[in-house]
Amino acid sequence: MSAPATPRPAPDLTLPPPVTAARTARVDWRIRFAVLSVVWGFSFLLIKVGTEAYAPFQVALGRVFFGALALLTVLLVRREPLPRGRRTWAHLFVAALLLNTAPFSLFAYAELSIPSSLAGICNATSPLWGMALSLVALSEDRPTRRRFAGLGLGFLGVLTVLGAWQGFSGIDAKGTALALLASLCYPVGWIYVRRTLASVPGSPVALTGAQLMVSTLQLLAVSAAFTSAPASFPLWPTLSVMALGALGTGMALQMQYGLVTEVGPTTAQMVTYFIPVIATTAGVLLLGEQLHWNTPVGAATVLAGAALTQTRRR
């Protein structure tokens, strides 16, 4: 999920520094891939539980705060410095807004009125938005018939999930629009990062840790202006927000960087296609959310379209 992110479920800032064989050999990459899929898939459930006690801005704030804390701990152990330079931090301010502050807040607001499973499926549209935007913003991404077909197939899947043939009945239009807008934020943010931060020295962990620090300050200001301090801190919503940040944002990003280094970005980014499946399963089994035939069929169509948009010419 950004994470992405988050999430997300999005391309990395740049490839991480070489990882030693001793470090990567501890746990097989397939196990780490499965863990990453589960962690990011459960993120939407954790958002749903968090909003039961906290305002959406507060859920997003807790997410970036604990995510930043996790990554800064890694930097401290590795003795890696944060990025330097006013220009770099100015770009990180925009990147934090597009990749963390805005999408995390939008997903939290969306899940006030839509199921966590639908939010997870909406998140899977990020590659579709990314392909559409890259055709305009990135001249090196040439359109192909297969990618155009993937784009059309993906959005056909979105219409299937939403039940377009029956007038979108039973679907909260505002919540769904917020979730789709959150998914759009990720490719916009990554295009910006690709153009401004790709050549900045430093590891992805340092850049992302700094980005989450900036997002924490942004959301702290927004939360102070538009929400009141929580009157209590219920156990499960609080633990959900902490897990969402430390695991779903901090640990998950660190794990993804290791996968990209070991097995390459193409294989590592396939985790995106497992997230809506796990999010839907978790929502149905643990939260009692309803599942109609068009949801899995539409989700499968979205993922097939997203996969087609990611194909490249040899």
Side-chain angles (χ1 to χ4, degrees):
M1 204 229 30
S2 153
T6 356
R8 42 222 333 88
D12 297 311
L13 287 170
T14 181
L15 290 180
V19 180
T20 62
R23 185 182 302 171
T24 58
R26 292 178 183 174
V27 181
D28 186 82
W29 73 267
R30 297 171 186 84
I31 297 176
R32 286 180 282 131
F33 184 95
V35 172
L36 182 60
S37 302
V38 172
V39 169
W40 268 338
F42 267 80
S43 293
F44 298 94
L45 181 147
L46 295 175
I47 293 172
K48 192 74 170 180
V49 176
T51 55
E52 293 177 358
Y54 302 108
F57 280 135
Q58 293 169 346
V59 172
L61 172 60
R63 181 176 184 176
V64 295
F65 172 76
F66 288 107
L69 196 61
L71 291 184
L72 291 178
T73 301
V74 173
L75 293 177
L76 184 62
V77 172
R78 292 183 178 180
R79 297 183 180 180
E80 291 185 26
L82 290 171
R84 297 181 180 180
R86 293 182 179 179
R87 187 179 183 86
T88 298
W89 282 91
H91 289 315
L92 285 171
F93 181 91
V94 179
L97 181 64
L98 293 173
L99 292 173
N100 305 114
T101 302
F104 291 178
S105 300
L106 288 169
F107 270 125
Y109 269 104
E111 291 199 40
L112 292 177
S113 57
I114 66 173
S116 63
S117 55
L118 178 56
I121 294 171
C122 288
N123 180 76
T125 64
S126 284
L128 303 176
W129 296 118
M131 196 282 263
L133 290 171
S134 68
L135 297 179
V136 178
L138 300 174
S139 59
E140 64 269 27
D141 283 348
R142 301 298 181 184
T144 64
R145 291 181 180 178
R146 178 175 294 184
R147 299 182 74 190
F148 273 123
L151 187 64
L153 184 64
F155 284 110
L156 177 62
V158 173
L159 294 177
T160 303
V161 170
L162 301 181
W165 67 92
Q166 55 188 6
F168 305 102
S169 62
I171 297 294
D172 183 83
K174 180 180 178 181
T176 305
L178 290 176
L180 291 172
L181 182 59
S183 304
L184 174 60
C185 288
Y186 291 126
V188 173
W190 285 115
I191 289 174
Y192 179 85
V193 165
R194 185 172 175 177
R195 289 188 166 185
T196 60
L197 291 169
S199 60
V200 172
S203 71
V205 178
L207 287 169
T208 307
Q211 181 178 303
L212 290 176
M213 287 175 57
V214 174
S215 181
T216 299
L217 296 176
Q218 292 173 345
L219 282 164
L220 188 62
V222 172
S223 297
F226 295 101
T227 66
S228 56
S232 62
F233 297 89
L235 179 61
W236 289 115
T238 302
L239 290 178
S240 295
V241 173
M242 293 175 66
L244 182 64
L247 300 179
T249 302
M251 186 201 77
L253 286 174
Q254 173 69 10
M255 191 176 295
Q256 189 194 33
Y257 297 145
L259 287 172
V260 170
T261 301
E262 186 172 352
V263 300
T266 301
T267 301
Q269 289 176 17
M270 286 181 67
V271 71
T272 303
Y273 306 122
F274 292 88
I275 292 174
V277 177
I278 295 171
T280 300
T281 303
V284 171
L285 296 181
L286 300 180
L287 297 179
E289 296 176 351
Q290 293 184 348
L291 182 65
H292 302 286
W293 69 267
N294 59 303
T295 300
V297 171
T301 307
V302 168
L303 295 178
L308 282 176
T309 65
Q310 302 307 298
T311 57
R312 309 281 184 182
R313 290 176 178 172
R314 292 184 181 275

